[in-house]
Amino acid sequence: MAFHFQLESTDRTTAARAGRIHTEHGEVLTPAFMPVGTAGSVKSLTPDELAAAGADIVLANTYHLSLRPGAETVRELGGLHRFMGWRGAILTDSGGFQVMSLSPLRKVGDRGVEFRSHLDGSKHLIGPEEAIGIQDALGTDIAMSFDELVEMPAPIEQVRESVRRTLEWARRGLAERERLRGEGRGAMALFGINQGGTDAGERARCFAGLSEMPFDGFSLGGLWVGEGRDLGLEMVERDCGEFPADRPRYLMGVGDPVDVVEAIARGVDMFDCVLPTRNARRGTVFISTGRLVVKNAAYARDPRPLDPACDCYTCRRFSRAYLRHLFASGELLGMRLASIHAVHQLVGLVRAARAAVLENRYASFRSDFLTRYASGETLMPAASSGN
Amino acid sequence: MAFHFQLESTDRTTAARAGRIHTEHGEVLTPAFMPVGTAGSVKSLTPDELAAAGADIVLANTYHLSLRPGAETVRELGGLHRFMGWRGAILTDSGGFQVMSLSPLRKVGDRGVEFRSHLDGSKHLIGPEEAIGIQDALGTDIAMSFDELVEMPAPIEQVRESVRRTLEWARRGLAERERLRGEGRGAMALFGINQGGTDAGERARCFAGLSEMPFDGFSLGGLWVGEGRDLGLEMVERDCGEFPADRPRYLMGVGDPVDVVEAIARGVDMFDCVLPTRNARRGTVFISTGRLVVKNAAYARDPRPLDPACDCYTCRRFSRAYLRHLFASGELLGMRLASIHAVHQLVGLVRAARAAVLENRYASFRSDFLTRYASGETLMPAASSGN
């Protein structure tokens, strides 16, 4: 098995960590940010642009790919890496979250989730075994265990029931991977997902079960769904305090720069989030000094790049005025250029965090970042300087 | 003035030509195909992708840019080259065609065309002087004379009137450039546009007027608007027979591969067309053996590139199956990858034509191209070969 996690360093004064995940498709430096390629494409970007932005791993969605073009089609075409032309590592989610959020009709039972496709209404079932089978057919490097999540807030009985089911499905998923390995397949790593919402007791109970199972890493599930940053970070600190040091820890669905910096301080190694690129496609990007709404008319004559401190392709070559024009004109290139910056900005952020951990200065890195990010400097529009 | 046309070679058995246009922004090899960057962006593509596809000149639309972001804004930001990050040459149209086709309300008089913006209904006037002023503010390398075109078929009196006005406007445009040059501006080249529809006599009369004026090149206007390929090519042959050998000849709005190859045989040096990239964004591309509708379900498992004979980025890296999936999923990357191929295919075609002219074998190049293009070979879907 190619998968191997190497913890390189833990910061002296925070719980921040630096490591490397070895995969069949290269090394993933941690902390890592994974751009989201839902349907086998990080929207508007080529694999080369992702690599140029520093990404070494992307996330793809099992639910979407299993419905279209279908996991078997991807397998026949040589697997997802070859299909989408991506040479780095791939992590796939289990499909559980997407089934619950996108399917118009679904029925959850111990067997799995029966649902109708949001594309054509066709009926499907994904259970823990199917989730493993699909991810294996896609050829992912890191698969996720199929879990049940509960819409919060929920009565405690419901949270307990979802923890029970998540544990049962976790066991069945591991068993299915073993079965596949007996057939010479199932080479992928598999992460367990901790659930329990914001109930510390349930999260502890869930992890007590998961920790007995031979997972290659652990994900923090059911967070950043409306509970607020403070409570979310409290749960992150709780989970990371229990998770074993020698396995990677993945906080699902988090990509706000402040959240990322704070979660790294509590011991998280991996992140994914659609928001940076989704916001970018709508004309808003994070820069080192805050949130820039470049589509605003105020930037129509601003000759500066999105972020004067950034060295991404977009910031090296184009002005805010040009990007504003592209957004005002509905030009696709605007979405692309903003997305390139967005990926570069987050990957650059976790890379800088990693360097700080390796040099035992994460606390000052965090406080410097937060101060600068709150400053709003360089956000104010500038007039053209003329020619 | 940086502009200079050098005729390198004329084919022995056809009227095909090979040349070079020297501009302040590099050399343009002819025959040349100009991708269209209407609003200062060739839709979905970066300047670097255009350059990688071999383009050395792009076309931008005066009408669109003058309305948004405004010619003065572009000038303040350092001109169109800097604004859009394009290091090659730029040709701008005069705005005449776009005013007539896009503005909901317009009034044509000798002064120029009064119209309302299709964006916000605001009132504007563009006449021959304004067209020169705007193109100068944009900083174009090659400007077009403001012309009047008539929707065909039209009564001969109307065609005559439009020829009269086109000639008057041509004189006034040149005078305006002289005036600007007196102020240290107006460095751009200026092409006259021949009109007269498909009336050979009117085209001859129009050119008799234009030929007395010191234009840097001549455009063939009012063609490929529904008259059919045979009649269009007849007019091309007619015009090119009269145009001086030492000035470049530009056939406006033509980009079908067969039309391009046939027009080159009759002496045309430059082309532009939105169709190759517009079709590409809709899932149809030209390949060397015909027209490929890659969004068709038939290609869902076809592991071959769009064109097995093409070495563009898209064809080197991605399968028809992947592109089909991107189009089926509404992914922006599909439009991009198809557009990259489309530009590469047409620029590659005119480059191959140029090589044939330089080697005095354009007749066989043309017949080989036409045979292959009509063959449909490699268009048939192939099933996945598995892994």
Side-chain angles (χ1 to χ4, degrees):
Chain A
M1 301 309 138
F3 184 91
H4 169 64
F5 176 64
Q6 176 193 352
L7 179 61
E8 291 176 275
S9 186
T10 302
D11 183 55
R12 202 159 36 206
T13 57
T14 70
R17 295 145 48 99
R20 278 164 205 271
I21 299 171
H22 302 268
T23 80
E24 237 184 286
H25 296 92
E27 272 192 349
V28 177
L29 301 177
T30 66
F33 176 76
M34 302 183 279
V36 177
T38 300
S41 144
V42 176
K43 292 193 191 310
S44 89
L45 302 183
T46 61
D48 299 274
E49 284 164 338
L50 295 171
D56 44 24
I57 182 168
V58 300
L59 179 144
N61 288 126
T62 289
Y63 170 83
H64 288 84
L65 290 166
S66 71
L67 294 180
R68 188 172 57 196
E72 280 309 307
T73 299
V74 173
R75 195 186 56 72
E76 278 176 42
L77 288 159
L80 188 54
H81 296 82
R82 190 200 277 187
F83 185 59
M84 64 186 281
W86 171 243
R87 288 159 181 158
I90 295 177
L91 179 147
T92 45
D93 64 6
S94 70
F97 181 80
Q98 311 281 338
V99 165
M100 300 307 280
S101 55
L102 290 176
S103 167
L105 271 173
R106 56 202 186 255
K107 218 172 81 187
V108 186
D110 279 346
R111 173 76 187 83
V113 183
E114 275 188 279
F115 64 97
R116 286 193 183 275
S117 159
H118 72 293
L119 299 174
D120 62 5
S122 57
K123 257 177 124 167
H124 302 266
L125 181 139
I126 297 186
E129 291 81 9
E130 289 77 9
I132 295 298
I134 294 168
Q135 293 178 85
D136 184 59
L138 294 174
T140 192
D141 297 292
I142 304 175
M144 290 295 123
S145 187
F146 195 66
D147 59 335
E148 193 194 8
L149 52 145
V150 172
E151 258 182 68
M152 300 298 287
I156 186 69
E157 297 73 34
Q158 206 179 325
V159 177
R160 277 198 191 121
E161 170 61 11
S162 108
V163 165
R164 179 195 68 77
R165 196 167 263 153
T166 292
L167 287 172
E168 189 204 317
W169 287 356
R171 260 185 297 272
R172 281 166 50 191
L174 278 164
E176 177 66 8
R177 184 177 66 163
E178 276 315 292
R179 194 186 68 74
L180 289 177
R181 286 187 172 177
E183 296 175 358
R185 295 158 66 192
M188 65 208 182
L190 183 56
F191 282 22
I193 304 180
N194 204 32
Q195 290 290 358
T198 51
D199 185 304
E202 283 305 309
R203 291 193 83 86
R205 196 168 71 83
C206 191
F207 189 70
L210 290 177
S211 64
E212 315 246 300
M213 306 182 204
F215 282 114
D216 303 297
F218 294 98
S219 302
L220 296 87
L223 298 176
W224 266 257
V225 291
E227 75 278 9
R229 176 179 290 155
D230 290 349
L231 190 50
L233 287 174
E234 199 184 309
M235 295 300 117
V236 167
E237 192 166 343
R238 202 218 68 78
D239 278 12
C240 288
E242 266 181 9
F243 284 8
D246 64 350
R247 313 281 158 83
R249 303 149 175 188
Y250 162 30
L251 178 56
M252 305 170 84
V254 172
D256 173 273
V258 173
D259 293 335
V260 166
V261 166
E262 292 290 6
I264 289 173
R266 287 158 179 82
V268 171
D269 304 308
M270 302 166 74
F271 300 88
D272 81 285
C273 192
V274 292
L275 281 181
T277 41
R278 181 178 294 162
N279 288 339
R281 292 196 305 280
R282 294 172 180 170
T284 296
V285 292
F286 297 121
I287 67 171
S288 51
T289 57
R291 192 167 160 276
L292 180 78
V293 186
V294 70
K295 71 173 176 189
N296 278 354
Y299 298 109
R301 293 173 179 227
D302 193 331
R304 292 173 303 174
L306 291 177
D307 188 345
C310 178
D311 67 346
C312 80
Y313 174 72
T314 302
C315 289
R316 278 185 283 116
R317 295 288 303 277
F318 304 96
S319 64
R320 292 176 183 179
Y322 185 57
L323 269 94
R324 195 270 158 179
H325 167 68
L326 294 176
F327 279 106
S329 305
E331 287 287 337
L332 297 173
L333 185 57
M335 300 195 200
R336 272 187 70 185
L337 295 179
S339 296
I340 287 173
H341 170 79
V343 171
H344 192 276
Q345 201 267 347
L346 268 160
V347 173
L349 177 62
V350 295
R351 283 286 190 282
R354 178 181 154 81
V357 172
L358 291 172
E359 294 166 14
N360 261 313
R361 53 173 178 80
Y362 193 78
S364 65
F365 168 82
R366 168 170 64 170
S367 87
D368 290 351
F369 170 82
L370 294 174
T371 305
R372 188 148 183 242
Y373 191 71
S375 73
E377 261 177 60
T378 73
L379 282 185
M380 282 291 290
S384 161
S385 56
N387 187 20
Chain B
M1 301 309 139
F3 183 91
H4 170 64
F5 176 64
Q6 174 192 353
L7 179 61
E8 291 177 275
S9 186
T10 303
D11 185 54
R12 200 159 36 206
T13 57
T14 71
R17 296 145 46 100
R20 280 166 203 269
I21 299 171
H22 302 268
T23 79
E24 236 184 288
H25 296 92
E27 271 193 349
V28 176
L29 301 177
T30 66
F33 175 76
M34 302 183 279
V36 178
T38 299
S41 144
V42 177
K43 291 194 191 307
S44 89
L45 302 182
T46 60
D48 299 275
E49 284 164 339
L50 295 170
D56 44 24
I57 181 168
V58 300
L59 179 146
N61 287 127
T62 289
Y63 171 83
H64 289 83
L65 289 167
S66 71
L67 294 180
R68 187 173 58 195
E72 280 310 307
T73 299
V74 174
R75 195 186 56 72
E76 279 175 40
L77 288 159
L80 188 54
H81 296 80
R82 190 201 277 189
F83 185 59
M84 65 185 283
W86 171 243
R87 288 159 182 158
I90 295 177
L91 179 147
T92 45
D93 64 6
S94 69
F97 181 80
Q98 310 282 337
V99 164
M100 299 307 282
S101 55
L102 290 175
S103 168
L105 272 172
R106 57 203 185 251
K107 220 172 79 186
V108 185
D110 279 346
R111 173 75 187 82
V113 183
E114 275 188 279
F115 64 97
R116 287 192 182 275
S117 159
H118 72 293
L119 299 174
D120 62 6
S122 57
K123 260 178 125 168
H124 302 265
L125 180 139
I126 298 187
E129 291 82 7
E130 289 78 8
I132 295 298
I134 294 168
Q135 294 178 85
D136 184 60
L138 294 174
T140 192
D141 297 292
I142 304 175
M144 289 297 123
S145 187
F146 195 66
D147 58 337
E148 193 193 10
L149 52 147
V150 171
E151 258 180 69
M152 300 299 286
I156 187 69
E157 298 73 32
Q158 207 179 326
V159 178
R160 278 198 190 122
E161 170 61 11
S162 108
V163 165
R164 179 194 69 75
R165 196 167 263 153
T166 291
L167 288 172
E168 190 204 317
W169 287 356
R171 263 186 295 273
R172 280 166 51 190
L174 278 164
E176 177 67 7
R177 185 178 65 164
E178 276 315 293
R179 194 186 68 75
L180 288 177
R181 286 188 172 177
E183 296 175 357
R185 295 157 67 191
M188 65 209 181
L190 183 56
F191 282 22
I193 304 180
N194 203 32
Q195 291 289 358
T198 50
D199 185 304
E202 283 305 309
R203 292 194 82 86
R205 196 168 71 82
C206 192
F207 190 69
L210 291 177
S211 64
E212 314 246 298
M213 306 181 204
F215 281 114
D216 303 296
F218 293 98
S219 302
L220 296 87
L223 298 175
W224 266 257
V225 290
E227 76 278 9
R229 177 178 291 156
D230 290 349
L231 190 50
L233 288 173
E234 199 184 310
M235 295 300 118
V236 167
E237 193 166 343
R238 202 219 68 78
D239 278 13
C240 288
E242 267 182 10
F243 284 8
D246 64 350
R247 312 281 158 84
R249 304 148 174 188
Y250 161 31
L251 178 56
M252 305 169 86
V254 172
D256 173 272
V258 172
D259 292 336
V260 166
V261 166
E262 293 290 6
I264 289 173
R266 287 157 178 82
V268 171
D269 304 308
M270 303 166 73
F271 301 87
D272 80 286
C273 193
V274 293
L275 280 182
T277 41
R278 183 179 292 164
N279 288 340
R281 292 196 305 279
R282 294 171 181 171
T284 296
V285 292
F286 298 122
I287 68 172
S288 51
T289 57
R291 192 169 162 274
L292 180 78
V293 186
V294 71
K295 71 173 175 189
N296 278 355
Y299 298 110
R301 292 173 179 226
D302 194 329
R304 292 173 302 174
L306 291 178
D307 188 344
C310 177
D311 67 346
C312 79
Y313 174 72
T314 302
C315 289
R316 279 186 283 115
R317 295 289 303 277
F318 304 96
S319 64
R320 293 176 182 179
Y322 185 58
L323 269 94
R324 194 271 159 179
H325 167 68
L326 294 177
F327 279 107
S329 305
E331 288 286 338
L332 298 173
L333 184 58
M335 301 195 199
R336 272 187 70 185
L337 294 179
S339 296
I340 286 173
H341 170 79
V343 171
H344 192 278
Q345 201 267 347
L346 268 160
V347 174
L349 178 62
V350 295
R351 284 286 189 282
R354 177 180 156 82
V357 172
L358 290 172
E359 294 166 13
N360 261 314
R361 51 172 179 81
Y362 192 78
S364 66
F365 168 82
R366 169 171 62 171
S367 87
D368 291 351
F369 170 82
L370 294 174
T371 305
R372 187 146 183 245
Y373 191 72
S375 72
E377 258 177 62
T378 73
L379 282 184
M380 281 291 289
S384 161
S385 57
N387 188 21

